Every structure is written in C-alpha cells, then in structure tokens.
Amino acid sequence: MKNDPQLKTPFLDALLEYVHSKPTPFDVPGHKLGRFVTDLSRRLSPVILGTDANAPIGLDNLYNAKGVIKQSEDLMAKLCHADHCLFSVNGTTGGILSMFLAALDNKDKVILPRNCHKSVINALIISGAVPIFVLPDIDEELGIANGVSTKDYIQAMDDHPDAKAVFVINPTYFGIACDLVTIAREAHRRNMVVLVDEAHGSSFYFGQGFPISAMDAGCDISSVSIHKNSGSLTQSSVILTKGDRLPFDEVKRAFGMLSSTSPNSLLIASLDAARKELYVRGKDVYAKDIALALYAKKEIARIPGISCRTKEEILGDRKSDAIFDVDETKLVISVRDLGLYGYDVYKELRAQSNIQLELGEVFVVLALIGPGTRKADVDRLILALQELSRRHQKDRKVHRRYAYQYTYPKIIVPPREGYDAPVKLVPLKDAVGEISAETVMAYPPGIPLVIPGELVGLETLRLIEFYYREKGEVLKDSAPRMMKVIDRSRWYLANEFEQS
C-alpha cells in the first residue's frame, strides 16, 4: 500500500515544492506568488495567491505534458479505466468542444439527444457538424426531460448510416441514464465514434451503486466534471479516452486550440488531490451519499404535497427504455401538488431557510447530495420542506397557470448555418414562424429551448415567455424581449433542409 502510485499527488507535490523554495519570480502572474496583496488574500487566505504559479521549471506544461502533469493524468486515467486523460481547466464545456472538434469535420453527421447542454450546440457551430436529433422522453408531470430510448438511437443509426458519431448524456441533469452499453456496441458495429457528456456523472467512476461509466461501457471519449460531485475546484474536469477509434493526438490538438495557454495551477492541483482522496475512500464516501439520499427520499415522501421518487419507483413507472438507470443522489423534488412552481420554491427556501438548491424548474427543484453533504444538511432540507408544506398547504390546489407539454422545435438548417446567416432583430412576439439565429435557454440547467437553425414555434414562444414571467434566468444573445432570427430577405434558402 505504501508504494501504491495512486497514493501520490505528483503535481500538487511539485507545486508545493516550488512555492516552498521561495523563488524570486520574474514570470507571470503579476501578483508574484501573492506579493501583491489584494482583498482576495486579505479576506480569504494568502495561500490562494501564494500557490498560483504559472508554468515554471518543474511544474510541466498542460499542453505538452511530460512530467508531473502527465504523471497525474495517467493516474486518473488508470483509476477511471481509461487509456488516456487530459486535465481540463475549461470545465466539461471545454471537453465537449474538444471532442466534437477532434471527431467531426464540417458537414459530418452526429446523432445526439435534443436535451443537450448549450456547450454541445456551440460545439456543433464550431465544428460545423450536422445534428441528427433524437428526442428524449418527457415527464409531463414533473416538467423535465429524461433519457433517450435505445430504440430511437438505433433507429437514427439505421436511418443515417453515414453518421460519424453518436453523442450520449450520462446521466441527464436529473440523474437519468440510458443503456450506454447497448448504444456504444451498436454505434461501434456501424463504425461510429461514441462521445459522452458526463458532466453530472463523475461519481460513477469512484463509487458503487451508480449507473455504468462511459469508460466501462466501452465508449470512445468522455468529458467528466470532477468539480461537480467529486471534490475538485469549480471549472476543473477531465477528458477520458479509450481505444483507437478517435486518435488521442487529434483530441490533444483540439484541446490545445480551445483552452487557455495560462492554465490555473490550483485547478490542476485540485484534480490531483481529488483523485487520490477518492481512490482512498471514494467507495465509502459515495455509499454514505446514497444512504443519505434514500433517507431524504423516505422522509420527503411523508410531507404533504411534496414528493421525491426513489430509483425503484422511477424504474417501476417507466414507460420506455429511455430510463435505463438512475443516479439516486440527485433529489428531484416535486412541488406541483402544492400548487407551486419550482422557481418559487428555489427562492423561498433560500430566503426562509438559507437552503441553496441546485436549481428550480417548472414543477421541481433539484438538490444534489455529494461528498461534502452531512446528515445535518439533509435534516435541514427535510425541515425546510416540512415548513414549506405547512405554509402553503392551506391554499393547496391543482397546479395553476401552466401545464408542461413541450415539443422541441423543428430544425431547418444546421446550427452553423443558422449562426452565420444574416440576421435581423424582431420583437419576441413576432418571432413565431422565423428561423432562430441564436440560442435561448433557461439556466440552469442550460438546455436550449431553441437553437440557431430551428423554427420558432408558438409553443417555444410561450415557454420563453413563461420563464420571463416567473423570473427564471433566460440566457440569450439579444435583448430580453427581442429575438435574433435569420433575415430571409438577405439569405438564399437553396440549402434549406428539414431533418427527416
């Protein structure tokens, strides 16, 4: 055990050794290892700036790693059953952009779920790839998108045998995983590369009782947010690859193009440290998390007007194979039967009980249990929900104002063409029937309501207006009540297509 390489932290050790040597710095960053004092170091800790080194001798280079970064990445790759690993200081967004640019050329087809993150749409725009969307199962009672049916993935592969890649989310923001093993096997049988977004699946690599990870399922590349649920600093993720269908040199080349040439040493060190900690006690940590989640769901089920389904209940109620497995640690808490919107509850719990949730959606709020969650935290959440129920139970009624029945817009032109086309600004109310030239989304979770190249329908307009009315966070390029659309008077539509 003493000589176990996984107990080492090569980059963190080298960083501390450099700092403790007390060099005289004439390189960047300009604060010179914290000698220039700001309120950040005064009010938080001098250690923050004092360990913020760039790439001096001994600390390796993230984009040509041969020393301690390479050693740390190799340890992460081995622990995650991958062949290669890259440390991303641009989050999983950077990883997704890199994998698309490495795997896909302009006009290449990629099969992917429509409930993908904004970063995937940006990756389509940058790469020029043509999306073949498969639609997720919609839970109309909860107002959320689940996974995509395996049958629908396979049908898309059969309908588009010239597709170069298949993209899968493992799991969705709300913890739903699809049959990744079957999808990967069927894609590889057709010589398609399998790309995976595991922004919310880092625990799959370090714990037990979770859905299968992308690497264990035999996928080719995955981007994993270690920061989201595995203890590293925000914005730190890893790119994992397996096999030779997607050459690692191509991934590295794309990664280098899309990442900062001044990567933050603290982010890299946090990945190194998190990996070691999870190797030592990850199974126990995540067993604790699952136990806390089960306890929370049991107690929440007793609260009038509030519900939170267990994995067994979700799998028992499923109507298709779009729900194959579930991450139990994501608490999807429905407040619909209280007659409330999730947005209201999200704000009310913060104001009344100092509870910070991950997000509020139409009918649900999302609470994430992670390595730092304590039983006392879960008890406070349960108590806050009990008080919420008491406050609103007396005027409880059938949910008001809005029923969630959403159909994704029809894609008319590829996202890059929609993004690059001549545009005009129109009032949001006049956008119906136009082709969007921008991405509009509610954040979080960052899943677009409409993307460049899609036809703006009445249903989309109503949902955007709903988010505005409920004071949700709507992200878009143009002004709040305006819409950037393709100016057809200045654009030749000979290339217009509709996805079959």
Side-chain angles (χ1 to χ4, degrees):
M1 190 74 172
K2 184 178 180 181
N3 295 321
D4 188 341
Q6 290 289 351
L7 297 179
K8 299 178 181 178
T9 50
F11 183 82
L12 177 59
D13 293 347
L15 175 61
L16 293 176
E17 182 180 350
Y18 175 76
V19 171
H20 293 157
S21 73
K22 298 182 179 179
T24 302
F26 285 96
D27 61 344
V28 296
H31 59 68
K32 307 299 181 184
L33 295 176
R35 291 177 174 91
F36 179 68
V37 179
T38 70
D39 274 359
L40 183 68
S41 48
R42 290 189 193 101
R43 300 174 66 182
L44 293 181
S45 170
V47 174
I48 296 174
L49 294 182
T51 51
D52 180 30
N54 190 25
I57 294 172
L59 283 192
D60 209 357
N61 186 304
L62 185 61
Y63 306 109
N64 188 30
K66 298 176 181 177
V68 290
I69 292 179
K70 178 70 163 58
Q71 293 169 30
S72 298
E73 289 175 334
D74 287 348
L75 289 171
M76 182 72 82
K78 185 173 182 180
L79 186 58
C80 295
H81 303 161
D83 291 339
H84 302 284
C85 171
L86 291 170
F87 285 172
S88 172
V89 296
N90 192 26
T92 286
T93 290
I96 287 172
L97 295 174
S98 298
M99 70 169 72
F100 269 69
L101 201 60
L104 298 160
D105 293 325
N106 189 35
K107 303 297 185 183
D108 281 343
K109 291 182 180 179
V110 54
I111 297 166
L112 71 164
R114 178 54 183 79
N115 60 320
C116 57
H117 187 261
K118 171 192 176 183
S119 59
V120 180
I121 305 305
N122 289 339
L124 290 170
I125 293 169
I126 290 172
S127 66
V130 176
I132 306 299
F133 285 127
V134 282
L135 300 182
D137 170 70
I138 298 292
D139 189 322
E140 294 181 356
E141 184 172 331
L142 295 182
I144 62 174
N146 290 319
V148 173
S149 165
T150 307
K151 294 177 183 177
D152 288 348
Y153 262 116
I154 294 173
Q155 187 64 56
M157 296 181 211
D158 290 341
D159 291 343
H160 300 274
D162 55 338
K164 194 169 181 180
V166 174
F167 178 84
V168 187
I169 305 169
N170 189 51
T172 67
Y173 206 124
F174 301 99
I176 302 300
C178 55
D179 186 357
L180 197 54
V181 172
T182 300
I183 292 169
R185 183 180 66 242
E186 292 297 320
H188 288 159
R189 196 164 66 83
R190 295 164 174 80
N191 296 316
M192 299 176 187
V193 179
V194 182
L195 322 173
V196 185
D197 173 358
E198 287 188 305
H200 297 276
S202 64
S203 51
F204 301 1
Y205 288 94
F206 308 113
Q208 295 177 334
F210 292 102
I212 193 169
S213 70
M215 293 297 101
D216 284 343
C219 301
D220 301 294
I221 186 168
S222 175
S223 188
V224 189
S225 294
I226 303 299
H227 71 93
K228 278 188 168 66
N229 201 36
S230 296
S232 64
L233 290 175
T234 296
Q235 201 174 313
S236 58
S237 296
V238 298
I239 302 170
L240 303 173
T241 72
K242 194 167 191 172
D244 56 6
R245 289 183 184 85
L246 184 58
F248 185 58
D249 285 346
E250 289 298 309
V251 178
K252 286 177 65 177
R253 184 175 74 154
F255 174 67
M257 289 174 61
L258 296 165
S259 302
S260 170
T261 55
S262 301
N264 189 289
S265 58
L266 292 174
L267 299 182
I268 299 171
S270 75
L271 288 167
D272 202 15
R275 184 265 316 151
K276 175 193 170 182
E277 199 66 29
L278 292 172
Y279 172 73
V280 173
R281 59 191 187 98
K283 290 182 175 62
D284 292 337
V285 165
Y286 288 114
K288 176 268 296 181
D289 286 354
I290 291 175
L292 283 177
L294 292 173
Y295 164 69
K297 292 178 180 183
K298 180 180 178 182
E299 294 302 313
I300 291 170
R302 297 173 177 171
I303 303 174
I306 301 178
S307 62
C308 183
R309 290 183 294 176
T310 64
K311 175 179 177 178
E312 286 71 23
E313 290 169 337
I314 294 170
L315 295 179
D317 293 342
R318 60 184 169 179
K319 296 181 176 64
S320 75
D321 63 351
I323 302 175
F324 184 78
D325 206 347
V326 179
D327 179 354
E328 197 83 86
T329 64
K330 293 172 174 55
L331 306 183
V332 183
I333 303 168
S334 173
V335 294
R336 178 170 186 153
D337 288 344
L338 279 181
L340 299 175
Y341 286 128
Y343 305 109
D344 302 328
V345 172
Y346 176 84
K347 297 167 188 172
E348 187 171 335
L349 288 190
R350 180 69 171 86
Q352 298 291 332
S353 304
N354 203 19
I355 297 286
Q356 180 60 59
L357 297 169
E358 172 65 13
L359 78 111
E361 255 292 349
V362 181
F363 301 139
V364 303
V365 292
L366 178 64
L368 303 181
I369 291 179
T373 305
R374 305 163 297 179
K375 183 175 182 297
D377 301 327
V378 175
D379 286 336
R380 285 189 65 192
L381 174 62
I382 294 167
L383 179 61
L385 292 172
Q386 289 170 341
E387 293 173 348
L388 177 83
S389 176
R390 281 194 291 270
R391 283 195 298 271
H392 295 278
Q393 187 69 12
K394 61 183 179 180
D395 56 0
R396 177 183 173 190
K397 51 191 173 184
V398 176
H399 205 281
R400 66 194 191 282
R401 290 179 292 173
Y402 186 78
Y404 191 93
Q405 294 179 329
Y406 186 62
T407 303
Y408 289 100
K410 181 189 295 184
I411 185 165
I412 304 299
V413 298
R416 178 186 275 186
E417 290 188 31
Y419 182 84
D420 287 339
V423 302
K424 63 180 180 180
L425 279 174
V426 299
L428 190 58
K429 63 182 177 60
D430 296 333
V432 174
E434 301 284 358
I435 302 173
S436 177
E438 65 176 329
T439 299
V440 182
M441 78 197 80
Y443 187 86
I447 296 169
L449 305 174
V450 65
I451 67 172
E454 285 185 333
L455 190 69
V456 181
L458 184 60
E459 193 171 9
T460 300
L461 177 63
R462 285 173 176 166
L463 191 54
I464 295 171
E465 290 285 7
F466 166 79
Y467 282 114
Y468 276 129
R469 187 171 64 248
E470 295 304 315
K471 296 180 172 56
E473 188 74 21
V474 178
L475 300 185
K476 57 201 298 291
D477 297 334
S478 56
R481 299 290 173 177
M482 302 296 288
M483 185 84 181
K484 186 186 293 184
V485 299
I486 292 177
D487 185 349
R488 301 196 196 197
S489 69
R490 296 190 292 137
W491 190 58
Y492 183 53
L493 285 174
N495 293 324
E496 184 170 323
F497 79 97
E498 294 183 11
Q499 180 180 315
S500 60

